[in-house]
Amino acid sequence: MDRMRVIFFYILFFGTFGVQAQTYKFGDVPREQLEMEVYDKDSTARAVVIFSKGDSELEYYNDDFYLTVTRHFRIKILTDEGLEEGEIELEFRNKNANTPQDIKNIKAESYFLDETGKILKQSVGRRDRFEEDISETRSVIKFTIPGLKKGSVFEYSYQLTSNNPLDFPSWVFQDDIPVIWSEYNARIPEWFRFLTVSKGYQNFLVSEQKRYNDRITIQGKQRQVFNGSNVSFVQDPSTTIDYEGIEYRYVVNNMPAIANEPYMKASMDYLSHIRFQLSSIQFPQTLGRSYLDTWVDLVNRLEDDEDFGKRLEKNEQLDEILEGLTEPATTELEKMITIYNYISNHMVWNGNYGLYSFKNLEDVYKEGTANGSSINLLLVQMLRKAGFEAHPMILSTRFNGEIIDLFPLVGQFNHTIAYVQFDGGYFLLDAKNENRPYNLLPSQVLNGEGLIIYKDQVLWVPLENQVDNKSVNVLSIDINEDGYEGSIKSKNLGFYAVDKRNGLDFEDLTSSVNEEIFIIDSGFSIDSVFITKDKLDESFEFEADFSFTNDLPTEVIYFNPMITGAITENPFKLEDRTFPIDFDYTFSETIIMNINIPEGWIIDEIPQSVLYRLPDQSGELRRIVRSVGDTISMNYLFKINKTRFMPEEYPGLKQFYEHMVETLGQNIVLKKGS
């Protein structure tokens, strides 16, 4: 596991209860909050959360335990762009669900100063809210905060109740706007055991627990008493039970906004938050009940699930398909690749992931369109029919977030691929996309480890590709007084091959090579293109001839040799970054160039030869430039050797890219000889 602060605990003590809350009662809005014009810690913020506060409690009444969650938010609007914060949606399970939730006590108001400095307010009434069903069992309450404008403050609060302790909520302390204060309090009786996970890259101001004492009264049951021929009813006495519980309190302050930055995975992996997961319930003098499976239980349940493992048991049409399909294959590897390519080409991915196949695989095959898991379950089934040891492997894609191995919950997973045991090793196959080879998982899948669904086993496998991602480009250029002409030979492996193959328009190669490969616009043209190799599981190679015409006469020629592969802008613009930088994959780019200068011209300047390396050989920029007679040669290499850089590595990575942008902007300068 990386250096992310991830804390697992049942009972931990951190700090004391000495930090004073910076929350306010509903309607108590200090004038300074309304007079604020800019947030001093982020002058670019469109809005700022003044505070967010949550209180969750398991309480006993009406002969059952109920969960009550109270939430209160107050937000300051700083710019017109911040007005969108006033669109509120509260989602819940409706009465059609097995364990419905109820939302009540909704309050919402906006506050602003008029021309005289008087504080005015507007409220959201019942008629301003509307409820909408988003599925059979889920609904959402929507309303818009009235009267919002730049400078306004608004707040809203509500209660959610449920008799299902599994609903005990997580709390997210961070947002896509800054948060000045966020506080979460939880009150849990001793009979409920929760696992708790704290995750994020910001330290808690407060993270503490203390015990409390309370009591509940259980009403006696009414029962019948037979006395001869008479029947009477007797009320048993009530029972009072004293118990202990744990109060949790978590506070963060001055949290920066978390926005979509370059090379960023699912935001939930970065947001500071606390998760509660019910583990077990043990009431006095009763058998305990576990609410958290083991990983073996999860694997076996999926193996026996009608919409997962059981789908692999029957598909009579595959025998006939396989008979003709794999006959030309002379090796087991060729047979596996043939099956992969067949499923990949036959099936159309509908863009959805999802863990299950809600149709039998015969119908999935006939329809030809399905979610990713259905396609790959069909692949597993066909591989098994062909004699391979193949199993489903479940995983969480990059946008879905990382798996927390403390929680054996199937809800953490959102995709299935195929695991194939092969010749002492294995292959990981994902057939949901066309034009991607069998040995290259899509970048969205490269997220930690996957879990093989194999009866009574817990087998985790790293989600990694064994294929190099390389682009090697050899260019020859002849410069003349009117411009230049040249050729390129390009060899691409791994994701470079996939991106080039899928990015080029084979109906108009000249235009698409111009747009996808080169960075020159005006005056530049592709004269011819030839695809020299296009083997899906090996490389994508092409050659092209190009030219550039400059209509203006000149005594000096400026030529930037980075006509392809240049990085002209640093993607890392923040001064600091509080979460990791995640590249999709490691890679290397090479450019080898020979430049011939015209007769009668002399070399006045050439770009510097440079070598920049990141610590631990995690990245490198190397450019060697030489001139011999009328020829200039350049050998350029840019590579990133690891996928995750931690926040403390960000300044070095940012500086590395700054050096790159500056270096790659340097020109060759030629002057006409006297």
Side-chain angles (χ1 to χ4, degrees):
M1 183 172 292
D2 59 40
R3 295 170 59 191
M4 174 185 291
R5 176 180 55 79
V6 180
I7 304 169
F8 305 99
F9 53 86
Y10 287 97
I11 301 175
L12 296 178
F13 289 89
F14 294 97
T16 66
F17 275 68
V19 177
Q20 184 177 356
Q22 293 187 15
T23 57
Y24 299 81
K25 291 182 179 180
F26 198 96
D28 179 12
V29 181
R31 178 173 290 273
E32 57 265 25
Q33 293 179 2
L34 289 163
E35 292 175 342
M36 180 196 302
E37 294 183 354
V38 66
Y39 179 47
D40 58 358
K41 290 183 172 56
D42 183 355
S43 60
T44 66
R46 66 183 187 274
V48 59
V49 178
I50 295 174
F51 69 82
S52 61
K53 186 171 185 289
D55 295 277
S56 298
E57 184 172 7
L58 284 165
E59 301 175 284
Y60 185 84
Y61 56 91
N62 292 340
D63 292 333
D64 201 355
F65 276 94
Y66 287 84
L67 170 67
T68 301
V69 182
T70 304
R71 295 184 172 106
H72 184 189
F73 302 88
R74 182 174 294 175
I75 297 173
K76 169 74 177 186
I77 305 298
L78 297 169
T79 70
D80 291 338
E81 289 76 17
L83 296 175
E84 63 186 27
E85 300 295 327
E87 301 293 330
I88 310 300
E89 297 186 3
L90 311 176
E91 189 175 329
F92 63 100
R93 291 195 304 272
N94 60 36
K95 61 183 179 182
N96 296 323
N98 292 330
T99 55
Q101 299 168 324
D102 183 34
I103 289 183
K104 58 185 180 181
N105 298 333
I106 298 174
K107 294 192 293 184
E109 290 184 347
S110 66
Y111 311 87
F112 53 94
L113 298 172
D114 68 5
E115 294 81 0
T116 66
K118 181 181 179 181
I119 299 177
L120 303 179
K121 70 176 182 179
Q122 292 189 36
S123 301
V124 173
R126 288 183 176 273
R127 294 183 179 180
D128 301 317
R129 309 192 304 253
F130 66 94
E131 186 174 319
E132 178 181 297
D133 293 335
I134 55 178
S135 72
E136 184 178 350
T137 59
R138 300 198 71 82
S139 299
V140 62
I141 295 173
K142 297 182 179 182
F143 56 89
T144 300
I145 304 295
L148 282 188
K149 59 183 179 179
K150 179 180 175 181
S152 297
V153 170
F154 75 89
E155 65 182 335
Y156 66 97
S157 66
Y158 65 95
Q159 280 189 334
L160 181 145
T161 59
S162 165
N163 69 345
N164 185 353
L166 288 169
D167 287 341
F168 207 95
S170 303
W171 186 259
V172 179
F173 299 93
Q174 208 165 4
D175 208 332
D176 61 354
I177 58 176
V179 177
I180 297 176
W181 183 275
S182 184
E183 178 177 341
Y184 187 49
N185 302 288
R187 188 176 167 95
I188 301 174
E190 63 183 277
W191 306 300
F192 299 86
R193 300 292 301 275
F194 282 85
L195 299 181
T196 312
V197 172
S198 166
K199 194 172 182 181
Y201 292 88
Q202 300 286 338
N203 293 324
F204 284 110
L205 180 66
V206 178
S207 176
E208 58 198 3
Q209 301 165 38
K210 69 176 183 180
R211 293 191 175 274
Y212 69 92
N213 296 298
D214 208 338
R215 63 177 51 182
I216 61 173
T217 300
I218 301 175
Q219 297 296 325
K221 302 295 183 182
Q222 191 180 63
R223 54 190 176 85
Q224 293 179 337
V225 176
F226 294 91
N227 183 12
S229 60
N230 297 321
V231 178
S232 59
F233 292 91
V234 175
Q235 183 77 36
D236 287 338
S238 299
T239 302
T240 299
I241 300 176
D242 293 316
Y243 70 92
E244 288 186 341
I246 300 176
E247 289 181 342
Y248 299 81
R249 185 180 182 222
Y250 303 96
V251 176
V252 299
N253 67 331
N254 300 324
M255 296 292 283
I258 186 164
N260 286 323
E261 288 292 317
Y263 305 107
M264 177 177 173
K265 291 208 301 183
S267 60
M268 199 59 185
D269 284 339
Y270 305 128
L271 289 170
S272 292
H273 62 280
I274 189 84
R275 297 188 190 183
F276 285 80
Q277 174 61 49
L278 182 63
S279 174
S280 63
I281 298 177
Q282 174 74 67
F283 291 119
Q285 300 179 350
T286 64
L287 293 174
R289 179 180 176 184
S290 175
Y291 285 84
L292 198 62
D293 288 340
T294 65
W295 285 111
V296 172
D297 293 334
L298 184 149
V299 168
N300 289 343
R301 193 168 69 250
L302 277 176
E303 181 87 8
D304 297 330
D305 194 291
E306 294 293 333
D307 293 320
F308 196 85
K310 294 294 185 183
R311 293 292 187 197
L312 299 169
E313 294 180 354
K314 181 183 178 182
N315 197 336
E316 296 175 357
Q317 64 184 330
L318 293 187
D319 291 328
E320 183 178 341
I321 296 168
L322 281 168
E323 185 176 349
L325 180 66
T326 58
E327 280 182 1
T330 58
T331 66
E332 289 298 288
L333 179 59
E334 287 181 4
K335 184 191 293 186
M336 186 192 74
I337 295 172
T338 299
I339 293 170
Y340 168 87
N341 288 339
Y342 179 80
I343 293 296
S344 182
N345 292 325
H346 174 77
M347 296 300 301
V348 176
W349 181 42
N350 64 12
N352 298 319
Y353 286 94
L355 199 62
Y356 300 97
S357 178
F358 295 110
K359 297 180 180 178
N360 69 63
L361 298 182
E362 286 181 300
D363 291 337
V364 168
Y365 176 83
K366 290 175 183 176
E367 292 178 8
T369 301
N371 68 16
S373 286
S374 295
I375 292 171
N376 287 316
L377 287 173
L378 180 62
L379 174 62
V380 170
Q381 189 180 52
M382 184 173 278
L383 288 167
R384 287 181 176 180
K385 283 275 188 178
F388 291 95
E389 183 179 345
H391 304 281
M393 174 187 278
I394 60 175
L395 56 88
S396 175
T397 57
R398 291 170 70 90
F399 74 78
N400 194 56
E402 297 175 349
I403 297 296
I404 298 176
D405 56 10
L406 185 66
F407 295 166
L409 299 172
V410 74
Q412 294 191 89
F413 301 88
N414 72 320
H415 187 44
T416 305
I417 61 175
Y419 170 91
V420 187
Q421 195 74 36
F422 196 91
D423 212 14
Y426 62 85
F427 287 102
L428 303 180
L429 309 179
D430 187 345
K432 74 178 186 307
N433 290 330
E434 293 181 332
N435 257 0
R436 182 175 38 77
Y438 74 96
N439 56 353
L440 195 71
L441 291 173
S443 58
Q444 265 294 337
V445 166
L446 304 179
N447 189 35
E449 295 181 318
L451 177 62
I452 300 172
I453 304 304
Y454 187 56
K455 195 76 169 180
D456 297 326
Q457 302 289 322
V458 179
L459 302 171
W460 294 92
V461 175
L463 295 164
E464 298 173 344
N465 285 321
Q466 304 302 318
V467 179
D468 289 334
N469 304 296
K470 285 185 176 181
S471 179
V472 179
N473 301 279
V474 180
L475 291 91
S476 178
I477 296 176
D478 294 319
I479 296 179
N480 55 60
E481 295 188 17
D482 300 323
Y484 57 82
E485 59 184 22
S487 64
I488 181 174
K489 294 181 179 179
S490 181
K491 180 178 180 178
N492 303 278
L493 301 170
F495 282 111
Y496 282 101
V498 170
D499 292 344
K500 296 281 196 306
R501 182 183 296 113
N502 295 340
L504 295 181
D505 180 359
F506 286 77
E507 299 296 324
D508 188 2
L509 276 173
T510 56
S511 294
S512 60
V513 166
N514 196 344
E515 294 172 1
E516 297 291 332
I517 309 300
F518 294 94
I519 64 171
I520 310 299
D521 294 323
S522 177
F524 186 86
S525 66
I526 301 295
D527 301 320
S528 64
V529 179
F530 306 95
I531 305 299
T532 56
K533 187 175 182 181
D534 184 8
K535 188 167 183 182
L536 197 62
D537 57 349
E538 291 186 8
S539 64
F540 179 75
E541 302 174 28
F542 66 89
E543 297 179 4
D545 296 319
F546 54 85
S547 59
F548 172 79
T549 302
N550 181 9
D551 296 329
L552 299 176
T554 180
E555 297 293 316
V556 181
I557 295 175
Y558 297 92
F559 173 69
N560 188 321
M562 299 301 297
I563 61 176
T564 182
I567 296 177
T568 59
E569 184 178 5
N570 189 346
F572 304 111
K573 303 186 185 304
L574 297 178
E575 286 300 315
D576 298 295
R577 184 150 156 170
T578 56
F579 44 85
I581 300 92
D582 285 296
F583 289 89
D584 287 347
Y585 44 81
T586 60
F587 60 86
S588 71
E589 299 177 8
T590 299
I591 298 174
I592 300 169
M593 183 180 292
N594 285 309
I595 304 164
N596 298 312
I597 66 174
E599 185 178 351
W601 289 72
I602 60 174
I603 301 171
D604 186 59
E605 293 180 23
I606 60 173
Q608 295 177 337
S609 293
V610 296
L611 175 61
Y612 299 117
R613 285 198 177 113
L614 290 170
D616 303 324
Q617 305 294 315
S618 56
E620 180 178 325
L621 169 65
R622 182 171 73 235
R623 184 171 74 173
I624 300 172
V625 185
R626 295 189 179 96
S627 65
V628 179
D630 293 337
T631 301
I632 301 171
S633 65
M634 183 188 76
N635 195 313
Y636 164 84
L637 172 67
F638 168 45
K639 61 181 178 180
I640 293 293
N641 293 327
K642 70 176 184 179
T643 56
R644 170 164 284 193
F645 291 79
M646 299 307 294
E648 58 267 26
E649 297 176 282
Y650 176 76
L653 187 63
K654 180 183 178 183
Q655 187 178 42
F656 176 78
Y657 271 81
E658 286 175 354
H659 286 317
M660 189 182 310
V661 171
E662 179 183 354
T663 298
L664 301 187
Q666 295 171 353
N667 290 322
I668 293 171
V669 181
L670 306 178
K671 289 185 177 180
K672 186 173 288 189
S674 56

